[in-house]
Amino acid sequence: MNFDSVILWVAVAGEVLVCGLLMKRQMWRILPFFCVYAVWTLVSDLVGDLILQKFSNAYGIFYFYQTIADSVFQLAVLGELGWSVLRPVRQSLPRGSRAIVYALIALAGLAIWPLAAIAAPQSLIGKTAILFHLQETFSILRVVCFLVLACFSQLLSIGWRDRELQVATGLGFFSIASLLVTVLHSHQVWSPQYHRLEQALSVSYVCTMTYWAVSFATKEQERKEFSPQMQQLLVLMSGGARTGRMALSDLPPEPSRKRIK
Amino acid sequence: MLLPLLQIAIVSTLLVYFSKWRNSMRRRNVQSWDSLLCQLRSDWSARDLGEQFLWKEGLNATTDDIWQRLDGPRGLWAMFQNARVMLEMADFASRNALPGSLQIDPMVLETLRSDAMQIRLCVLMALGQYALSQATEGVKVNAFRAANIYSGMAARMTTLLQDHAAVVLPDFVAAM
């Protein structure tokens, strides 16, 4: 068994563990796309290995379409994370904000696409060039999205829940690692060095899986004391909103208006 | 040779920023209520904003007066930081309130977040404009809006402490 096979099977074991923990923690309730993505990576890795063993000629085509599907899933996960960060202010957002978040990410991807082409090596042609271009675009897009989310949440002081932060940490780390590998790839021709970098990226993927497995295996921290006095403090700081709301709900229903003839 | 090094430096900087941001978010999720209260800025006082600051909502002064009383960007920055603490208080409440009888009305948290975010946005706009064009009318208007919301929140907090925790009121008044 060579090093590549060892990494593959360790990664698959990590994916099985992460999928199991996601189900156990019922995380599809808060991050459904991420759960689907985790199952997708497991299934595609297993199917990919099977095709490589049995029909090695078809593996190139499989890898091409698998990368495209993977990119679409990543887009959905990024949108989901962006939307979950906006959770504390969702009520004050207009309708259709969720679609706007996804549209903005897709637009950012479209804007990055031509920029990524500049850095692509000229020696690549055909599907390989498209594949490299796609991977580079999504590497940049992921990092840009995380950067925007981090800056936005820091400026407006929006908090992240533990599980969302864990997912973002794993994805963010892997995104930066893949961007670094992509940058290095764009400055080299095909060589053994290329394969070593791919192996390094696979190792970073295994690290991400290990982090998620450890994080999801740990229970969320217990609630801290929140006394009625603390609650009272918040109620008063938030002003008359509640009073106004209660007063509105206490009002008798408006009598039906008679039609004036 | 220079371009790859520059690109690697940028990606490495991103990695450092990302890990720092992640640690600060993690710290934020585990902090206690007391440590939150301690983070309110005590080295800057907003009591000069109005004659009855802390006891009455709303400001009765011109935008120029408020700008001077705020001590310019220093006061703006202090309000920006205190608004962050208020947002973290709201997060603490929604994270730690027990489901059931002690559950907080989401409207209360929403209002608190909305006020604190408005303060931060107004301060950011004012500071951005100030950096570009010094103290113009636009800067002062944004500073006034931030100070107005801030004084409202501070006055409501004072009333609460007066009614429920008179012992800590002098400390709070001194801090504000």
Side-chain angles (χ1 to χ4, degrees):
Chain A
M1 196 180 252
N2 60 14
F3 186 63
D4 286 345
S5 302
V6 172
I7 292 178
L8 174 72
W9 288 111
V10 171
V12 167
E15 284 166 359
V16 170
L17 195 58
V18 167
C19 285
L21 287 166
L22 286 174
M23 298 301 136
K24 191 185 171 194
R25 300 283 179 219
Q26 301 184 334
M27 274 183 59
W28 66 84
R29 289 179 180 172
I30 52 169
L31 295 168
F33 282 134
F34 177 72
C35 293
V36 174
Y37 181 58
V39 174
W40 156 257
T41 50
L42 173 63
V43 172
S44 66
D45 277 354
L46 289 173
V47 173
D49 188 57
L50 188 75
I51 290 174
L52 193 63
Q53 302 295 330
K54 304 282 180 190
F55 322 96
S56 55
N57 290 339
Y59 184 73
I61 300 166
F62 169 80
Y63 186 67
F64 180 77
Y65 289 108
Q66 187 245 354
T67 306
I68 292 172
D70 202 67
S71 305
V72 174
F73 273 119
Q74 283 176 28
L75 203 68
V77 173
L78 286 174
E80 188 171 68
L81 271 180
W83 183 240
S84 63
V85 171
L86 291 173
R87 179 180 35 82
V89 289
R90 267 182 210 169
Q91 285 177 334
S92 53
L93 293 174
R95 275 189 178 185
S97 300
R98 189 174 198 160
I100 292 171
V101 170
Y102 283 95
L104 282 175
I105 294 172
L107 280 174
L110 284 175
I112 291 168
W113 179 263
L115 295 174
I118 300 167
Q122 300 299 314
S123 55
L124 299 179
I125 48 162
K127 279 187 176 174
T128 319
I130 297 171
L131 203 64
F132 187 90
H133 194 169
L134 192 70
Q135 283 175 335
E136 196 168 26
T137 302
F138 271 87
S139 296
I140 300 170
L141 179 65
R142 278 190 310 227
V143 172
V144 167
C145 282
F146 281 116
L147 199 63
V148 169
L149 282 177
C151 290
F152 184 72
S153 58
Q154 207 162 28
L155 274 181
L156 290 182
S157 197
I158 295 175
W160 290 57
R161 284 194 293 197
D162 283 345
R163 294 291 183 222
E164 289 157 3
L165 189 61
Q166 287 161 358
V167 169
T169 303
L171 273 180
F173 168 73
F174 182 67
S175 302
I176 291 175
S178 68
L179 181 64
L180 196 62
V181 168
T182 309
V183 164
L184 293 171
H185 276 332
S186 65
H187 293 287
Q188 64 178 176
V189 289
W190 294 98
S191 67
Q193 205 183 353
Y194 186 95
H195 187 63
R196 293 227 176 88
L197 284 171
E198 284 297 312
Q199 285 181 328
L201 187 61
S202 302
V203 170
S204 77
Y205 181 69
V206 170
C207 291
T208 304
M209 284 296 146
T210 310
Y211 168 76
W212 276 337
V214 172
S215 303
F216 298 153
T218 316
K219 277 188 178 178
E220 278 190 287
Q221 56 166 323
E222 288 185 6
R223 284 191 168 90
K224 292 190 175 68
E225 187 204 7
F226 191 72
S227 63
Q229 285 76 23
M230 294 173 183
Q231 183 174 344
Q232 187 81 28
L233 181 82
L234 285 173
V235 169
L236 213 84
M237 278 171 72
S238 67
R242 191 183 181 202
T243 320
R245 192 180 168 206
M246 284 166 73
L248 279 174
S249 63
D250 288 345
L251 281 175
E254 193 180 345
S256 57
R257 289 178 185 166
K258 287 178 183 172
R259 193 174 287 171
I260 301 168
K261 289 181 182 174
Chain B
M1 187 61 196
L2 196 65
L3 185 64
L5 284 177
L6 187 69
Q7 286 175 326
I8 291 166
I10 291 170
V11 178
S12 307
T13 311
L14 283 176
L15 191 63
V16 172
Y17 169 72
F18 188 67
S19 60
K20 282 195 167 183
W21 166 82
R22 196 255 169 215
N23 288 340
S24 73
M25 282 294 155
R26 180 80 193 119
R27 262 201 307 274
R28 177 180 164 148
N29 283 357
V30 296
Q31 65 192 337
S32 66
W33 181 263
D34 288 338
S35 72
L36 266 174
L37 285 176
C38 290
Q39 285 173 40
L40 285 166
R41 283 276 298 265
S42 56
D43 58 330
W44 173 83
S45 172
R47 72 184 62 160
D48 293 335
L49 286 177
E51 285 172 14
Q52 288 181 302
F53 179 73
L54 293 180
W55 309 105
K56 193 179 172 185
E57 289 188 42
L59 296 176
N60 190 17
T62 63
T63 51
D64 287 319
D65 288 342
I66 292 300
W67 179 254
Q68 282 194 337
R69 291 174 194 177
L70 273 173
D71 197 10
R74 185 169 164 264
L76 283 175
W77 187 246
M79 285 197 300
F80 184 79
Q81 289 182 314
N82 282 351
R84 174 186 60 79
V85 180
M86 290 165 188
L87 273 164
E88 289 182 19
M89 283 171 155
D91 282 347
F92 183 95
S94 62
R95 207 169 38 241
N96 297 301
L98 285 167
S101 60
L102 208 60
Q103 190 140 29
I104 296 180
D105 187 341
M107 190 69 178
V108 170
L109 295 179
E110 186 62 29
T111 313
L112 188 60
R113 282 190 179 115
S114 170
D115 281 356
M117 267 185 204
Q118 275 188 61
I119 293 171
R120 281 177 81 88
L121 279 175
C122 288
V123 170
L124 276 179
M125 284 194 283
L127 286 176
Q129 287 172 312
Y130 180 77
L132 293 172
S133 58
Q134 296 297 307
T136 58
E137 196 53 38
V139 175
K140 289 174 187 171
V141 167
N142 276 323
F144 182 88
R145 282 167 63 195
N148 198 28
I149 304 168
Y150 187 81
S151 74
M153 290 181 88
R156 291 193 290 263
M157 208 160 161
T158 309
T159 313
L160 171 85
L161 294 177
Q162 198 176 14
D163 293 347
H164 300 277
V167 182
V168 297
L169 186 63
D171 290 338
F172 175 73
V173 173
M176 298 302 280

